Amino acid sequence: MVDLVSTGISGLDAMLYGGIPKDNQVIVAGGPGAGKTLMAFEFLYRNAKAGNTSLFFSLEEDPKRIISNAKSAFPEFKDIDKIIESKKLIVTGSDITSIALKEDPAFEFGRLIADIEEEIEGSNATRAVLDSSTALELIVRDPTAYRRSMWALVANFRRLGVTSMLTSEIHSPDRSRLAFRPEHFIFDGMLVLYQGGEEARRVQSLEVIKMRGYKHSFVTAPYDITPKGFRVLSPESMNR
Amino acid sequence: MVDLVSTGISGLDAMLYGGIPKDNQVIVAGGPGAGKTLMAFEFLYRNAKAGNTSLFFSLEEDPKRIISNAKSAFPEFKDIDKIIESKKLIVTGSDITSIALKEDPAFEFGRLIADIEEEIEGSNATRAVLDSSTALELIVRDPTAYRRSMWALVANFRRLGVTSMLTSEIHSPDRSRLAFRPEHFIFDGMLVLYQGGEEARRVQSLEVIKMRGYKHSFVTAPYDITPKGFRVLSPESMNR
Amino acid sequence: MVDLVSTGISGLDAMLYGGIPKDNQVIVAGGPGAGKTLMAFEFLYRNAKAGNTSLFFSLEEDPKRIISNAKSAFPEFKDIDKIIESKKLIVTGSDITSIALKEDPAFEFGRLIADIEEEIEGSNATRAVLDSSTALELIVRDPTAYRRSMWALVANFRRLGVTSMLTSEIHSPDRSRLAFRPEHFIFDGMLVLYQGGEEARRVQSLEVIKMRGYKHSFVTAPYDITPKGFRVLSPESMNR
Amino acid sequence: MVDLVSTGISGLDAMLYGGIPKDNQVIVAGGPGAGKTLMAFEFLYRNAKAGNTSLFFSLEEDPKRIISNAKSAFPEFKDIDKIIESKKLIVTGSDITSIALKEDPAFEFGRLIADIEEEIEGSNATRAVLDSSTALELIVRDPTAYRRSMWALVANFRRLGVTSMLTSEIHSPDRSRLAFRPEHFIFDGMLVLYQGGEEARRVQSLEVIKMRGYKHSFVTAPYDITPKGFRVLSPESMNR
Amino acid sequence: MVDLVSTGISGLDAMLYGGIPKDNQVIVAGGPGAGKTLMAFEFLYRNAKAGNTSLFFSLEEDPKRIISNAKSAFPEFKDIDKIIESKKLIVTGSDITSIALKEDPAFEFGRLIADIEEEIEGSNATRAVLDSSTALELIVRDPTAYRRSMWALVANFRRLGVTSMLTSEIHSPDRSRLAFRPEHFIFDGMLVLYQGGEEARRVQSLEVIKMRGYKHSFVTAPYDITPKGFRVLSPESMNR
Amino acid sequence: MVDLVSTGISGLDAMLYGGIPKDNQVIVAGGPGAGKTLMAFEFLYRNAKAGNTSLFFSLEEDPKRIISNAKSAFPEFKDIDKIIESKKLIVTGSDITSIALKEDPAFEFGRLIADIEEEIEGSNATRAVLDSSTALELIVRDPTAYRRSMWALVANFRRLGVTSMLTSEIHSPDRSRLAFRPEHFIFDGMLVLYQGGEEARRVQSLEVIKMRGYKHSFVTAPYDITPKGFRVLSPESMNR
């Protein structure tokens, strides 16, 4: 039997037939404003509320700003501060772009991973978010080194027993222009947030591209971001 | 409750359900002639008229020309000179492309930001415009350094408590060829001005791609530039 | 009130609601055979006939050839020689591609601008044409230096009080493949001559992409090149 | 008469009119989550169950993870552990990206092939899988050297008498954007797993692009991954 | 009155309203097998038959082969040998790709032009063909030097009073993928031979993209290559 | 009268109105699995059966494998071994990618051509196949040197009086994405094997892009590879 981690996100668990297989490392890809960071945040918030320690590691943005953005987007998550105070939800980070100018980026990348690892072990976190992969890519520019670093990251997170989300930027809002990148192949799962629609009204929709170890929906489901969190209108969630 | 800054632009505030969240840094992207600079100017003009000190910082064009272009485009803004005299609207700049030939572009970029910061602090401006991002990109060409510089710019502007617009050039007039750039992910908000339409008549339309911290319209709304300022024909503004 | 310079081109002034704002620097873009050089020539010819001294500066083609091409295309402009003799229309040039091999292209570019400036001042020309931007681009290949040079050119022409056209090559005949280039953003106005049409018959059409300081048509209007000059079939000109 | 190796995969043998010609080396190409690795695994599992020793050689992923992923995807393959214990199915690997940093990649590539060869000979395996070609490409980046290495790999595998699958990443999910790569020409066979469909529901489908030495279907057949293994809904399998 | 040179090609003169303006230098562009070289050959053959000395200068292909290909394609041109013997049609060449390895390509290019010039002057040729521009491009690879060389070539040919055709390779058979190259802007005229048609039958068609100094058809007209020469089915030729 | 070489391939001769003009050098282009090598093999086999000595020169693949693949694909060609024994059909080769690492690729390329030339002269072969052009391209990477080498190859083959086929890889299966390469212009003829069809069933089809010296079909004709050889369903062959 697969051990599933509920995302707690409305409609998404249904698309995943229960949740993300435990210890899976999952890409959340999307354009600007698609809600990648917010979805990753809600994933941790829901888990923290359920009593599981969760770590948000920002690689560029100020952690305080991550929290205030989440509060603005989700006004009904009234207990964010309380949960953070209780240490169930840890929002931290390191401006890793400063590493990019150093001499041995692979070494620095390794040290960053070691720092995150320490944070995870110190806090006994079982869920983690890294925001975003672009920052990692700017540190390790050689394609072989980047690929190796991503494999190492995935292996270390598995070893630590965390189920994670890594946000990833895409350069076109449409599904018809989706182009796969190395990390999409390396990670266990991949969700994409599209901002599509040829008509005068954009429709935001989510697709599960892959989820290793368990079945998932093949439907591209509309979503919106409500004060109470994401709402993914998957047929799987309708039939309930 | 989110603290919203009214743009004062007809129809746009409705698309933003009131305005831009305070301290948000917003990209205004568009092709040549789309009106990026004029929209940014009107944003400041409206705010200056409402009594808030506003700073337009031109990175390439002569500030005098910015003013005369705005006067030509908006003949009904008859008090531009008066408002400028009253120091509520400050239009200044620095030909930053001269920096590009210097030895340490990141350092020079930092000094430019420091100059702008000083201008903002000295004038107590609460709204700012930087026109345009292409000039910044030409100074800092290394992608990692560029990304870091943009993060620094956003952080500094937030710290100063200004709500800003940064104009950004796009290389195709159509929504179907829109391609995201690094700054689109870093900034809090993004508006795009399209010059689309496959038929014999171009239609100018505006889309809010993102606006962190608050809801926004998903409609692409036609706009025109009238003597009285921008007029954005959003369904949200119709229903009023 | 905006001071407008009539182009004298049939139907185009109507699309521009009177003409080009004085001191505006305007791009005329198009593919081979679209008529960029001819349109720029007619712009000067019309102005010269109206008594205004006009300068055509060719950056590659032999000035004599410019004149003979214009005569062939516009057999009804029977007084071209007379107008040239009267010094109202000056067609000159410099094979600037020879500059490209020199050591400091930006310096050479500056000297070229100085030469053109001298020509303009010496002749008291109020209208000028530079043909074409590709020649400039080949001299100054660094993108930052190119952008700076184009800003400098525009500023110098403004200072001299000339209203100008710069011809610019596009690499696809169709509107759906139009891609913007740096000078398109820097110049005050932009006209594009398309050679489109998916059917067996090409249709030549003109679009005003931008015209700073005044309103313009958003229609893409068919045109042809007649013995009496360009004829732009804009709806604005029909309604007269 | 061609000697065919049954893939044991439901519906696929019918598309191949019996199976893969013995000693053919076959590419299995697809995007993330298409099931490339799982299809290659099932190919070996089916053969191992039929009593033929089979070798899975992972070039990046931890072999234990390959096994656990297969168990999760195929819960009805209850005897995976037993078959592995019986040495009929060998899942091993080498993190070959570590080779990429060495001085002579072609030499290292040769040594890797020698290692795999030794594994095959030592175990008397008649079927093999290499997962994935991207790892090989990162070691040998020069296009000529890469092509030579792929030819050498194919020749060595043939000499050893193994029928193999090499997984290969594609960068677009759609058939209309399929672009051929060098190894697609060198290998004897090529299967592609698409994740297509313009509508709101992705359809996974398989196409046999080539299979040297024998006939194959030209239909693109839908497939799904069931607890009992792949199910390819080819018309050829329907008619049975 | 424009002095027109009849091409002698059936239907083409009608598309050109009489022919090519004297001293115009014309590009004939097309894909492999479109008939670029044959059209250029027929242009010279027709002119030679009319008593005008004509020079075909091959830059890559063996001149004997040019002649034998023309004889095969046009079996009704029974007097090719006689006309060549009479020195009215001169087919010569120089394998200029050998120049490419020399030290100063621009100098070598200049010497080649000088050689061709000498041939033209020595023979009093009034029509010339250069086959093909790709060979020139391979000699002078720097884009500025290439552009200058093409301007020089055009100027020299004009000075010599020859009307010429330069064949030019395009990389897609379809009109919708046509992309302009530098020489397309520099030359006086441009004909394109398409091999289009989305259906199961290719249709060859010809378009006059430009012809300086005179009017031309805007129709894309089907053509075929018959034993009696090209037959261009232009509406202009139908109405006669 | 053109001297035609029958290809012996069912339906293809009809598309060529009899066959390939003697001494023509012909490209056979296609994607993986399209049957380029098999078509070239059948061309030689048919000619060998008709008593003409034919040489297949493989530039990468083991000659034995070429033969065994042909036997598998064409089980009705029961006399392949006998014909090979009779020396009417010679299948040989040289792993020319080994040349790529040498110091002077153009020199090595020349030596390779000399080797092939010797084989042709020694055997009095009148038909030849080179498989494939990609191998040549990897030896001579400089575009000018590559173009010269291809011209030299074509010239040498003509001088030897052989009619040849050179196989060439294309990177997209569809006709709408066909892009021409240098050798397509240099060779006398070009056949393309498409694997097109937007529907769920691929259709293999053949187009004659060019055939110097004689007429050819403009239809894209479906084909399949049967035990008795290629069958090209051209309308020209239907009407017989």
Side-chain angles (χ1 to χ4, degrees):
Chain A
M1 205 43 216
V2 190
D3 195 359
L4 296 174
V5 169
S6 162
T7 65
I9 293 166
S10 171
L12 178 57
D13 282 344
M15 289 181 79
L16 299 168
Y17 295 98
I20 296 170
K22 194 176 165 304
D23 299 357
N24 260 12
Q25 317 306 322
V26 177
I27 297 276
V28 180
K36 300 176 297 296
T37 300
L38 289 174
M39 177 168 275
F41 186 92
E42 184 177 352
F43 168 63
L44 293 190
Y45 170 79
R46 295 293 180 190
N47 288 315
K49 283 205 71 158
N52 305 303
T53 305
S54 301
L55 178 76
F56 192 108
F57 203 97
S58 170
L59 298 167
E60 290 183 317
E61 177 69 277
D62 178 0
K64 284 184 198 121
R65 185 85 185 165
I66 299 282
I67 296 167
S68 68
N69 285 340
K71 283 183 187 172
S72 299
F74 306 130
E76 300 289 323
F77 295 3
K78 294 182 201 288
D79 51 358
I80 288 182
D81 286 333
K82 216 178 70 187
I83 288 176
I84 289 174
E85 270 167 48
S86 76
K87 308 268 187 193
K88 279 296 167 199
L89 177 58
I90 300 158
V91 183
T92 183
S94 158
D95 180 4
I96 68 165
T97 52
S98 62
I99 297 174
L101 305 178
K102 302 240 171 98
E103 272 175 36
D104 184 346
F107 173 77
E108 296 292 337
F109 185 94
R111 213 162 69 176
L112 173 78
I113 304 280
D115 286 355
I116 298 172
E117 202 173 325
E118 212 171 288
E119 289 267 12
I120 292 172
E121 288 186 315
S123 64
N124 284 313
T126 55
R127 317 281 149 84
V129 161
L130 278 187
D131 182 37
S132 73
S133 70
T134 302
L136 300 176
E137 195 187 341
L138 288 171
I139 304 175
V140 190
R141 296 205 197 162
D142 174 81
T144 308
Y146 179 69
R147 196 168 172 107
R148 292 198 67 200
S149 297
M150 294 306 267
W151 275 111
L153 188 158
V154 163
N156 282 1
F157 274 39
R158 267 184 209 144
R159 193 173 39 73
L160 292 169
V162 289
T163 308
S164 81
M165 284 185 176
L166 172 72
T167 60
S168 171
E169 298 174 356
I170 58 178
H171 294 285
S172 149
D174 304 315
R175 193 183 172 200
S176 65
R177 288 191 282 163
L178 181 64
F180 297 128
R181 291 175 38 74
E183 63 268 27
H184 301 170
F185 290 93
I186 293 166
F187 273 64
D188 300 306
M190 180 176 178
L191 312 178
V192 189
L193 305 179
Y194 301 109
Q195 299 154 290
E198 293 300 314
E199 302 311 312
R201 170 172 267 279
R202 287 250 180 228
V203 176
Q204 295 187 298
S205 60
L206 179 150
E207 183 178 9
V208 184
I209 294 280
K210 76 168 171 182
M211 193 52 67
R212 267 187 207 136
Y214 200 54
K215 63 187 176 176
H216 63 79
S217 173
F218 285 92
V219 168
T220 297
Y223 71 87
D224 49 16
I225 307 178
T226 78
K228 296 177 179 177
F230 272 74
R231 190 175 50 164
V232 183
L233 303 167
S234 54
E236 290 83 359
S237 65
M238 308 288 169
N239 299 336
R240 290 190 158 189
Chain B
M1 205 42 217
V2 190
D3 195 0
L4 296 175
V5 169
S6 162
T7 66
I9 292 165
S10 171
L12 178 57
D13 282 344
M15 290 181 79
L16 298 168
Y17 296 98
I20 297 170
K22 194 177 165 302
D23 299 357
N24 260 12
Q25 316 307 321
V26 177
I27 297 276
V28 180
K36 299 176 298 295
T37 300
L38 289 174
M39 176 167 275
F41 186 93
E42 185 177 353
F43 168 64
L44 294 189
Y45 169 80
R46 296 293 180 190
N47 288 315
K49 284 203 72 159
N52 305 304
T53 305
S54 301
L55 178 76
F56 191 106
F57 202 97
S58 171
L59 297 167
E60 289 183 318
E61 178 69 276
D62 178 0
K64 285 183 197 121
R65 186 85 186 166
I66 299 282
I67 297 167
S68 67
N69 285 340
K71 283 183 187 169
S72 300
F74 306 129
E76 300 290 322
F77 294 3
K78 293 182 202 288
D79 51 358
I80 288 182
D81 287 332
K82 216 179 69 184
I83 288 177
I84 288 174
E85 270 167 50
S86 76
K87 308 268 188 194
K88 279 296 167 198
L89 177 56
I90 300 159
V91 183
T92 183
S94 157
D95 181 4
I96 69 165
T97 51
S98 63
I99 297 174
L101 306 177
K102 302 242 171 94
E103 271 174 38
D104 184 346
F107 174 77
E108 296 293 336
F109 186 95
R111 214 163 66 176
L112 174 78
I113 304 278
D115 286 355
I116 298 172
E117 201 173 324
E118 211 170 290
E119 289 266 13
I120 292 172
E121 288 186 315
S123 63
N124 285 314
T126 54
R127 315 281 150 85
V129 162
L130 278 187
D131 182 37
S132 72
S133 71
T134 303
L136 300 177
E137 196 187 340
L138 288 170
I139 303 175
V140 190
R141 295 206 197 162
D142 173 81
T144 308
Y146 179 69
R147 196 169 173 106
R148 292 197 68 199
S149 297
M150 293 307 266
W151 275 111
L153 188 157
V154 163
N156 283 359
F157 273 38
R158 266 184 211 143
R159 193 172 40 72
L160 292 169
V162 289
T163 308
S164 80
M165 284 186 176
L166 172 72
T167 61
S168 171
E169 298 175 355
I170 58 178
H171 294 285
S172 150
D174 304 315
R175 193 183 174 200
S176 66
R177 289 191 282 163
L178 181 64
F180 297 128
R181 292 175 38 73
E183 63 268 28
H184 301 170
F185 290 93
I186 293 167
F187 273 64
D188 300 305
M190 179 176 179
L191 311 178
V192 189
L193 305 178
Y194 302 109
Q195 300 154 292
E198 293 300 313
E199 302 309 312
R201 171 173 267 280
R202 287 250 180 228
V203 176
Q204 295 186 298
S205 60
L206 178 150
E207 183 178 8
V208 183
I209 294 281
K210 75 168 171 181
M211 192 52 67
R212 267 189 206 135
Y214 200 53
K215 63 187 176 176
H216 62 79
S217 173
F218 285 92
V219 167
T220 298
Y223 70 87
D224 49 17
I225 307 178
T226 79
K228 296 177 179 177
F230 273 74
R231 190 174 50 166
V232 183
L233 304 167
S234 55
E236 290 83 359
S237 64
M238 307 289 168
N239 299 334
R240 291 191 157 189
Chain C
M1 207 39 219
V2 190
D3 194 0
L4 295 175
V5 169
S6 162
T7 65
I9 292 166
S10 171
L12 179 56
D13 282 344
M15 289 180 78
L16 298 168
Y17 296 98
I20 296 171
K22 193 177 167 301
D23 299 357
N24 260 12
Q25 317 306 322
V26 177
I27 296 276
V28 180
K36 298 177 298 297
T37 300
L38 290 174
M39 177 167 274
F41 186 93
E42 185 178 352
F43 167 64
L44 294 190
Y45 170 80
R46 296 293 180 190
N47 288 315
K49 283 204 71 157
N52 305 304
T53 306
S54 301
L55 177 77
F56 191 107
F57 203 97
S58 171
L59 297 167
E60 289 183 318
E61 178 68 276
D62 179 0
K64 285 185 196 119
R65 186 83 185 166
I66 299 283
I67 296 167
S68 67
N69 284 340
K71 283 182 186 171
S72 300
F74 306 129
E76 301 290 321
F77 293 4
K78 293 181 202 290
D79 51 357
I80 288 182
D81 286 332
K82 216 177 72 187
I83 288 177
I84 289 174
E85 270 167 50
S86 75
K87 309 269 187 193
K88 279 296 167 198
L89 177 58
I90 300 158
V91 183
T92 183
S94 158
D95 181 4
I96 70 166
T97 52
S98 63
I99 297 174
L101 306 178
K102 303 242 171 96
E103 270 174 39
D104 183 345
F107 174 77
E108 296 293 338
F109 186 96
R111 214 162 67 175
L112 174 77
I113 304 279
D115 286 356
I116 298 171
E117 202 172 323
E118 212 170 289
E119 289 267 12
I120 292 172
E121 288 185 315
S123 63
N124 284 314
T126 54
R127 315 281 150 85
V129 162
L130 278 188
D131 182 37
S132 71
S133 71
T134 303
L136 300 177
E137 195 188 340
L138 288 171
I139 303 176
V140 190
R141 295 206 196 161
D142 174 80
T144 308
Y146 179 69
R147 195 168 174 107
R148 293 197 68 200
S149 297
M150 294 308 266
W151 276 111
L153 189 157
V154 162
N156 283 359
F157 274 39
R158 264 184 212 146
R159 194 172 39 73
L160 292 169
V162 289
T163 308
S164 80
M165 283 187 177
L166 171 73
T167 61
S168 170
E169 298 174 355
I170 58 179
H171 294 284
S172 150
D174 304 315
R175 193 183 174 202
S176 65
R177 288 191 281 162
L178 181 64
F180 298 127
R181 291 174 39 73
E183 63 268 29
H184 301 170
F185 290 94
I186 293 166
F187 273 64
D188 301 305
M190 180 177 179
L191 312 178
V192 189
L193 305 178
Y194 301 109
Q195 300 154 291
E198 292 300 312
E199 302 309 312
R201 171 173 266 279
R202 286 250 180 228
V203 175
Q204 295 186 297
S205 59
L206 179 149
E207 182 177 10
V208 183
I209 294 281
K210 76 167 170 181
M211 191 54 66
R212 265 189 207 135
Y214 200 53
K215 62 187 176 176
H216 62 79
S217 173
F218 286 91
V219 167
T220 297
Y223 70 86
D224 49 17
I225 306 178
T226 78
K228 296 176 178 178
F230 273 73
R231 191 174 49 165
V232 183
L233 303 167
S234 54
E236 290 83 1
S237 64
M238 307 291 168
N239 299 335
R240 291 189 158 190
Chain D
M1 203 44 215
V2 190
D3 195 0
L4 295 174
V5 170
S6 162
T7 65
I9 293 166
S10 171
L12 179 57
D13 281 345
M15 289 181 79
L16 298 168
Y17 296 98
I20 296 170
K22 195 177 165 302
D23 300 356
N24 260 13
Q25 317 306 321
V26 177
I27 297 276
V28 181
K36 299 175 300 294
T37 300
L38 290 174
M39 176 167 274
F41 187 93
E42 184 178 352
F43 168 63
L44 293 190
Y45 169 80
R46 295 294 179 189
N47 288 315
K49 284 205 70 158
N52 304 304
T53 306
S54 301
L55 178 76
F56 191 108
F57 203 97
S58 171
L59 297 167
E60 290 184 317
E61 176 69 275
D62 178 0
K64 283 185 196 120
R65 185 84 185 166
I66 299 282
I67 296 168
S68 68
N69 284 341
K71 283 183 186 171
S72 300
F74 305 131
E76 299 291 321
F77 293 5
K78 294 181 201 290
D79 51 358
I80 288 182
D81 286 333
K82 216 178 70 187
I83 288 177
I84 288 174
E85 269 168 49
S86 75
K87 309 268 185 193
K88 280 294 166 200
L89 177 57
I90 300 158
V91 183
T92 183
S94 158
D95 180 6
I96 69 164
T97 51
S98 62
I99 297 174
L101 305 178
K102 303 242 172 96
E103 272 175 35
D104 184 346
F107 174 77
E108 296 294 335
F109 186 95
R111 212 163 69 175
L112 174 78
I113 304 279
D115 286 356
I116 298 172
E117 202 174 323
E118 210 171 290
E119 288 268 12
I120 292 172
E121 288 186 314
S123 64
N124 285 314
T126 55
R127 315 281 151 84
V129 162
L130 278 187
D131 182 37
S132 72
S133 71
T134 302
L136 300 177
E137 195 187 339
L138 288 171
I139 304 175
V140 190
R141 295 204 197 163
D142 173 80
T144 308
Y146 180 68
R147 195 168 173 107
R148 293 197 67 201
S149 297
M150 293 308 267
W151 275 111
L153 188 157
V154 163
N156 281 1
F157 274 40
R158 266 185 210 144
R159 193 173 40 71
L160 292 169
V162 289
T163 308
S164 80
M165 283 185 177
L166 172 72
T167 60
S168 171
E169 298 174 358
I170 57 178
H171 294 285
S172 150
D174 304 315
R175 193 184 173 199
S176 65
R177 287 191 283 162
L178 181 64
F180 297 127
R181 292 176 37 75
E183 62 268 27
H184 301 169
F185 290 93
I186 293 167
F187 273 64
D188 300 306
M190 181 176 178
L191 312 177
V192 189
L193 305 178
Y194 302 109
Q195 300 154 289
E198 292 300 312
E199 303 309 312
R201 170 172 267 279
R202 286 248 181 230
V203 176
Q204 295 186 297
S205 59
L206 179 150
E207 182 177 10
V208 184
I209 294 280
K210 75 168 171 181
M211 193 52 67
R212 267 189 206 133
Y214 200 53
K215 63 186 176 178
H216 63 80
S217 173
F218 285 92
V219 168
T220 298
Y223 71 87
D224 50 16
I225 306 177
T226 78
K228 297 177 178 177
F230 272 74
R231 191 175 49 163
V232 183
L233 302 168
S234 55
E236 290 82 0
S237 65
M238 306 290 168
N239 298 336
R240 290 192 158 187
Chain E
M1 206 39 218
V2 190
D3 196 0
L4 295 174
V5 170
S6 162
T7 66
I9 292 166
S10 171
L12 179 56
D13 281 344
M15 289 180 78
L16 298 168
Y17 295 98
I20 295 171
K22 193 176 166 305
D23 300 357
N24 260 12
Q25 317 305 322
V26 177
I27 296 276
V28 181
K36 297 176 298 297
T37 300
L38 289 174
M39 177 167 274
F41 186 93
E42 185 178 351
F43 168 63
L44 293 191
Y45 169 80
R46 296 293 180 190
N47 288 316
K49 283 205 70 157
N52 305 304
T53 305
S54 300
L55 178 76
F56 191 108
F57 203 96
S58 171
L59 297 167
E60 289 184 318
E61 177 68 277
D62 179 359
K64 285 185 195 118
R65 186 83 186 167
I66 298 282
I67 297 167
S68 68
N69 284 340
K71 283 183 186 170
S72 300
F74 305 129
E76 300 290 322
F77 293 4
K78 293 182 202 291
D79 51 357
I80 288 182
D81 286 333
K82 216 177 72 186
I83 288 176
I84 289 174
E85 270 167 49
S86 76
K87 308 268 187 194
K88 280 294 168 200
L89 177 58
I90 299 158
V91 183
T92 183
S94 157
D95 180 5
I96 68 164
T97 51
S98 63
I99 297 175
L101 306 178
K102 302 243 172 96
E103 272 176 36
D104 183 346
F107 173 77
E108 296 293 336
F109 186 95
R111 213 162 68 176
L112 174 78
I113 304 278
D115 285 355
I116 298 173
E117 201 172 323
E118 212 171 288
E119 288 268 12
I120 291 172
E121 288 185 315
S123 64
N124 285 313
T126 55
R127 317 280 151 84
V129 162
L130 278 188
D131 183 37
S132 71
S133 71
T134 303
L136 300 177
E137 195 188 340
L138 288 170
I139 303 176
V140 190
R141 294 204 198 164
D142 174 80
T144 308
Y146 179 69
R147 194 166 174 110
R148 293 198 67 200
S149 297
M150 293 308 266
W151 275 111
L153 189 158
V154 162
N156 282 0
F157 273 40
R158 265 183 210 145
R159 193 174 38 72
L160 292 169
V162 289
T163 308
S164 81
M165 283 185 177
L166 171 72
T167 61
S168 171
E169 299 175 356
I170 57 178
H171 294 285
S172 150
D174 304 315
R175 192 184 173 201
S176 65
R177 288 191 281 163
L178 181 64
F180 297 128
R181 290 174 40 73
E183 62 268 27
H184 301 170
F185 289 94
I186 293 167
F187 273 65
D188 301 304
M190 180 177 178
L191 312 178
V192 189
L193 305 178
Y194 301 110
Q195 300 154 290
E198 292 300 312
E199 303 309 312
R201 171 173 265 280
R202 286 250 181 229
V203 175
Q204 295 187 297
S205 59
L206 179 149
E207 182 178 11
V208 184
I209 294 281
K210 75 167 171 183
M211 192 54 66
R212 266 189 207 134
Y214 201 53
K215 63 187 175 176
H216 63 80
S217 173
F218 286 91
V219 167
T220 298
Y223 70 86
D224 50 17
I225 307 178
T226 79
K228 296 177 179 177
F230 273 73
R231 191 175 49 164
V232 183
L233 303 167
S234 55
E236 290 83 0
S237 63
M238 307 290 168
N239 299 337
R240 290 191 158 190
Chain F
M1 204 44 216
V2 190
D3 195 0
L4 295 174
V5 170
S6 161
T7 65
I9 292 166
S10 171
L12 179 56
D13 282 345
M15 289 181 79
L16 298 169
Y17 295 98
I20 296 170
K22 194 177 165 304
D23 300 357
N24 260 13
Q25 316 306 321
V26 177
I27 297 276
V28 181
K36 298 176 299 295
T37 300
L38 289 174
M39 176 167 275
F41 187 93
E42 185 177 350
F43 168 63
L44 293 190
Y45 169 80
R46 296 293 180 190
N47 288 315
K49 283 204 71 158
N52 305 304
T53 305
S54 301
L55 178 76
F56 192 109
F57 203 96
S58 171
L59 297 167
E60 289 183 320
E61 177 68 277
D62 178 0
K64 284 184 196 121
R65 186 82 186 167
I66 299 282
I67 297 167
S68 67
N69 285 341
K71 283 183 187 172
S72 300
F74 305 130
E76 299 290 323
F77 293 4
K78 294 182 202 289
D79 51 358
I80 288 182
D81 286 333
K82 216 177 70 184
I83 288 176
I84 289 175
E85 269 167 50
S86 75
K87 309 268 185 193
K88 280 294 168 200
L89 178 56
I90 300 158
V91 183
T92 183
S94 158
D95 181 4
I96 69 163
T97 51
S98 63
I99 297 174
L101 305 178
K102 302 244 172 93
E103 272 174 36
D104 184 346
F107 173 77
E108 295 293 337
F109 186 94
R111 214 163 69 176
L112 174 78
I113 304 278
D115 285 356
I116 297 172
E117 202 173 324
E118 211 171 290
E119 288 268 13
I120 291 172
E121 288 186 315
S123 63
N124 285 315
T126 54
R127 315 282 151 84
V129 163
L130 278 188
D131 182 36
S132 71
S133 71
T134 303
L136 300 177
E137 195 187 340
L138 288 171
I139 303 175
V140 190
R141 295 203 198 164
D142 173 80
T144 308
Y146 179 68
R147 195 166 173 109
R148 293 197 67 202
S149 297
M150 293 308 266
W151 275 111
L153 189 157
V154 162
N156 282 0
F157 274 39
R158 265 184 211 145
R159 194 173 39 71
L160 291 169
V162 290
T163 308
S164 80
M165 282 185 178
L166 171 72
T167 60
S168 171
E169 298 174 356
I170 57 178
H171 294 285
S172 150
D174 304 316
R175 192 183 174 201
S176 65
R177 287 191 283 163
L178 181 64
F180 297 128
R181 291 175 39 74
E183 62 268 28
H184 301 170
F185 290 93
I186 293 167
F187 273 64
D188 301 305
M190 181 177 178
L191 312 177
V192 189
L193 305 178
Y194 301 109
Q195 300 154 290
E198 292 300 313
E199 302 309 312
R201 169 173 268 279
R202 286 249 181 229
V203 175
Q204 295 186 298
S205 59
L206 178 149
E207 183 178 8
V208 183
I209 294 280
K210 76 168 172 183
M211 191 54 66
R212 267 189 206 135
Y214 200 53
K215 63 187 176 176
H216 63 81
S217 173
F218 285 91
V219 168
T220 298
Y223 70 86
D224 51 15
I225 307 177
T226 78
K228 296 176 179 178
F230 273 73
R231 191 174 49 164
V232 183
L233 303 168
S234 55
E236 290 82 1
S237 65
M238 307 290 168
N239 299 335
R240 290 191 157 189

